[in-house]
């Protein structure tokens, strides 16, 4: 089930770029959308979640998880975040 | 009760500066420490939380909340985050 939730990867673009992707998924019938971000993009993901709450009807934050991934060569720890958005009927 | 939880305000310094503050609070007997951050510092707060889990014994993330504050003149929305760390006995 979890793998069927559409995921929006938040990177270095402005928050509105990802907001459009989130709104598209909800308008296409998804009742959940996952935001994923690493490093500096984590702040952007939070802004996307906050904008989604204001702009997409009945959307709220269901769960926020943080973690660490090893990236690069040599590998270095990078912080990660997942925000699960849910649309309540 | 909630107001008695020591709060570490995460800003523009390196994560280790705030990690030291978190470790100090736990070592001083607190069983909870709150990390607060706004805007770009949100990513740093996540890194501080992740480092705290690895470095301070028995510390885990209990709750993560995000929000929006109006800041500046003219006021603009700024994303905020609170991470509640708890030390389990």
């Amino acid at each position: 089930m979890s793998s069927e939730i559409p995921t929006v990867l938040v990177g270095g673009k402005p928050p509105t770029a990802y907001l459009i992707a989130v709104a598209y998924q909800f308008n296409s019938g998804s009742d959940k959308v996952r935001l994923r971000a690493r490093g500096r993009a984590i702040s952007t993901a939070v802004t996307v979640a906050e904008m989604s709450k204001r702009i997409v009807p009945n959307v709220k934050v269901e769960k926020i998880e943080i973690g660490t991934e090893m990236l690069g060569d040599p590998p270095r720890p990078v912080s990660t975040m997942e925000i699960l958005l849910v649309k309540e009927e």
Side-chain angles (χ1 to χ4, degrees), chain A:
Chain A
M1 286 297 293
S2 168
S3 60
E4 295 172 28
I5 300 173
T7 298
V8 174
L9 286 169
V10 177
K13 295 180 194 168
T16 46
Y18 308 104
L19 177 64
I20 289 166
V22 169
Y24 174 79
Q25 291 296 342
F26 280 123
N27 290 337
S28 302
S30 295
D31 57 352
K32 296 188 179 185
V33 174
R34 184 187 287 118
L35 295 170
R36 279 185 61 95
R38 285 197 286 241
R40 287 284 139 206
I42 286 173
S43 310
T44 308
V46 171
T47 298
V48 174
E50 286 292 303
M51 292 172 104
S52 300
K53 289 196 296 186
R54 289 198 296 275
I55 286 162
V56 188
N58 305 320
V59 163
K60 69 176 195 68
V61 173
E62 184 169 281
K63 192 165 62 175
I64 302 175
E65 289 181 331
I66 61 175
T68 304
E69 284 178 19
M70 298 303 288
L71 284 181
D73 185 12
R76 287 177 48 109
V78 176
S79 297
T80 63
M81 170 175 271
E82 281 198 15
I83 302 175
L84 186 59
L85 299 172
V86 60
K87 187 171 184 173
E88 300 187 319
E89 297 308 315

